[in-house]
PDB file of all heavy atoms in Angstrom:
ATOM      1  N   VAL A 117     105.462 164.615  65.838  1.00  0.00           N
ATOM      2  CA  VAL A 117     105.244 165.892  65.067  1.00  0.00           C
ATOM      3  C   VAL A 117     105.361 165.617  63.534  1.00  0.00           C
ATOM      4  O   VAL A 117     104.545 166.185  62.776  1.00  0.00           O
ATOM      5  CB  VAL A 117     106.374 166.849  65.476  1.00  0.00           C
ATOM      6  CG1 VAL A 117     106.161 168.140  64.754  1.00  0.00           C
ATOM      7  CG2 VAL A 117     106.312 167.141  67.013  1.00  0.00           C
ATOM      8  N   ARG A 118     106.215 164.744  63.048  1.00  0.00           N
ATOM      9  CA  ARG A 118     106.356 164.583  61.645  1.00  0.00           C
ATOM     10  C   ARG A 118     105.332 163.515  61.025  1.00  0.00           C
ATOM     11  O   ARG A 118     105.128 163.401  59.898  1.00  0.00           O
ATOM     12  CB  ARG A 118     107.794 164.110  61.277  1.00  0.00           C
ATOM     13  CG  ARG A 118     108.766 165.194  61.505  1.00  0.00           C
ATOM     14  CD  ARG A 118     108.635 166.347  60.537  1.00  0.00           C
ATOM     15  NE  ARG A 118     109.293 165.988  59.272  1.00  0.00           N
ATOM     16  CZ  ARG A 118     108.760 166.308  57.939  1.00  0.00           C
ATOM     17  NH1 ARG A 118     107.632 166.991  58.032  1.00  0.00           N
ATOM     18  NH2 ARG A 118     109.300 165.897  56.882  1.00  0.00           N
ATOM     19  N   GLY A 119     104.690 162.697  61.964  1.00  0.00           N
ATOM     20  CA  GLY A 119     103.858 161.627  61.615  1.00  0.00           C
ATOM     21  C   GLY A 119     102.682 162.053  60.703  1.00  0.00           C
ATOM     22  O   GLY A 119     102.440 161.522  59.583  1.00  0.00           O
ATOM     23  N   PRO A 120     101.963 163.250  61.024  1.00  0.00           N
ATOM     24  CA  PRO A 120     100.874 163.662  60.132  1.00  0.00           C
ATOM     25  C   PRO A 120     101.255 164.038  58.855  1.00  0.00           C
ATOM     26  O   PRO A 120     100.462 163.778  57.811  1.00  0.00           O
ATOM     27  CB  PRO A 120     100.303 164.792  60.998  1.00  0.00           C
ATOM     28  CG  PRO A 120     100.597 164.643  62.339  1.00  0.00           C
ATOM     29  CD  PRO A 120     102.059 163.900  62.343  1.00  0.00           C
ATOM     30  N   GLU A 121     102.415 164.555  58.594  1.00  0.00           N
ATOM     31  CA  GLU A 121     102.890 165.052  57.289  1.00  0.00           C
ATOM     32  C   GLU A 121     103.526 163.885  56.486  1.00  0.00           C
ATOM     33  O   GLU A 121     103.188 163.676  55.314  1.00  0.00           O
ATOM     34  CB  GLU A 121     103.859 166.193  57.400  1.00  0.00           C
ATOM     35  CG  GLU A 121     104.358 166.738  56.073  1.00  0.00           C
ATOM     36  CD  GLU A 121     105.312 167.793  56.235  1.00  0.00           C
ATOM     37  OE1 GLU A 121     105.536 168.323  57.296  1.00  0.00           O
ATOM     38  OE2 GLU A 121     106.007 168.174  55.212  1.00  0.00           O
ATOM     39  N   LEU A 122     104.312 163.091  57.112  1.00  0.00           N
ATOM     40  CA  LEU A 122     105.052 161.988  56.412  1.00  0.00           C
ATOM     41  C   LEU A 122     104.298 160.723  56.233  1.00  0.00           C
ATOM     42  O   LEU A 122     104.518 159.910  55.470  1.00  0.00           O
ATOM     43  CB  LEU A 122     106.430 161.657  57.028  1.00  0.00           C
ATOM     44  CG  LEU A 122     107.433 162.895  57.093  1.00  0.00           C
ATOM     45  CD1 LEU A 122     108.722 162.353  57.857  1.00  0.00           C
ATOM     46  CD2 LEU A 122     107.789 163.151  55.687  1.00  0.00           C
ATOM     47  N   GLY A 123     103.365 160.463  57.281  1.00  0.00           N
ATOM     48  CA  GLY A 123     102.702 159.185  57.333  1.00  0.00           C
ATOM     49  C   GLY A 123     103.458 158.296  58.318  1.00  0.00           C
ATOM     50  O   GLY A 123     104.674 158.568  58.673  1.00  0.00           O
ATOM     51  N   ALA A 124     102.804 157.334  58.856  1.00  0.00           N
ATOM     52  CA  ALA A 124     103.472 156.503  59.919  1.00  0.00           C
ATOM     53  C   ALA A 124     104.679 155.822  59.455  1.00  0.00           C
ATOM     54  O   ALA A 124     105.626 155.765  60.223  1.00  0.00           O
ATOM     55  CB  ALA A 124     102.392 155.426  60.296  1.00  0.00           C
ATOM     56  N   GLY A 125     104.733 155.333  58.277  1.00  0.00           N
ATOM     57  CA  GLY A 125     105.889 154.607  57.770  1.00  0.00           C
ATOM     58  C   GLY A 125     107.206 155.456  57.712  1.00  0.00           C
ATOM     59  O   GLY A 125     108.138 155.048  58.239  1.00  0.00           O
ATOM     60  N   LEU A 126     107.074 156.562  57.058  1.00  0.00           N
ATOM     61  CA  LEU A 126     108.274 157.410  56.787  1.00  0.00           C
ATOM     62  C   LEU A 126     108.702 158.005  58.147  1.00  0.00           C
ATOM     63  O   LEU A 126     109.834 158.298  58.434  1.00  0.00           O
ATOM     64  CB  LEU A 126     108.035 158.459  55.693  1.00  0.00           C
ATOM     65  CG  LEU A 126     107.933 157.974  54.368  1.00  0.00           C
ATOM     66  CD1 LEU A 126     107.714 159.049  53.333  1.00  0.00           C
ATOM     67  CD2 LEU A 126     109.364 157.402  53.901  1.00  0.00           C
ATOM     68  N   ALA A 127     107.687 158.461  58.976  1.00  0.00           N
ATOM     69  CA  ALA A 127     108.001 159.025  60.285  1.00  0.00           C
ATOM     70  C   ALA A 127     108.760 158.055  61.182  1.00  0.00           C
ATOM     71  O   ALA A 127     109.614 158.477  61.861  1.00  0.00           O
ATOM     72  CB  ALA A 127     106.665 159.445  60.842  1.00  0.00           C
ATOM     73  N   THR A 128     108.328 156.833  61.071  1.00  0.00           N
ATOM     74  CA  THR A 128     109.001 155.740  61.901  1.00  0.00           C
ATOM     75  C   THR A 128     110.446 155.693  61.449  1.00  0.00           C
ATOM     76  O   THR A 128     111.270 155.459  62.223  1.00  0.00           O
ATOM     77  CB  THR A 128     108.196 154.470  61.821  1.00  0.00           C
ATOM     78  OG1 THR A 128     106.901 154.658  62.317  1.00  0.00           O
ATOM     79  CG2 THR A 128     108.953 153.431  62.580  1.00  0.00           C
ATOM     80  N   GLN A 129     110.589 155.680  60.099  1.00  0.00           N
ATOM     81  CA  GLN A 129     112.005 155.578  59.592  1.00  0.00           C
ATOM     82  C   GLN A 129     112.848 156.750  60.119  1.00  0.00           C
ATOM     83  O   GLN A 129     114.017 156.518  60.466  1.00  0.00           O
ATOM     84  CB  GLN A 129     112.027 155.551  58.143  1.00  0.00           C
ATOM     85  CG  GLN A 129     111.366 154.285  57.426  1.00  0.00           C
ATOM     86  CD  GLN A 129     111.434 154.325  55.958  1.00  0.00           C
ATOM     87  OE1 GLN A 129     112.368 154.881  55.390  1.00  0.00           O
ATOM     88  NE2 GLN A 129     110.454 153.658  55.360  1.00  0.00           N
ATOM     89  N   LEU A 130     112.339 157.917  60.078  1.00  0.00           N
ATOM     90  CA  LEU A 130     113.054 159.137  60.550  1.00  0.00           C
ATOM     91  C   LEU A 130     113.362 159.008  62.047  1.00  0.00           C
ATOM     92  O   LEU A 130     114.379 159.374  62.454  1.00  0.00           O
ATOM     93  CB  LEU A 130     112.273 160.392  60.189  1.00  0.00           C
ATOM     94  CG  LEU A 130     112.988 161.671  60.453  1.00  0.00           C
ATOM     95  CD1 LEU A 130     114.325 161.830  59.550  1.00  0.00           C
ATOM     96  CD2 LEU A 130     112.092 162.919  60.073  1.00  0.00           C
TER      97      LEU A 130
END
Side-chain angles (χ1 to χ4, degrees):
V117 180
R118 293 291 280 141
E121 180 180 349
L122 293 178
L126 287 177
T128 300
Q129 291 181 33
L130 186 60

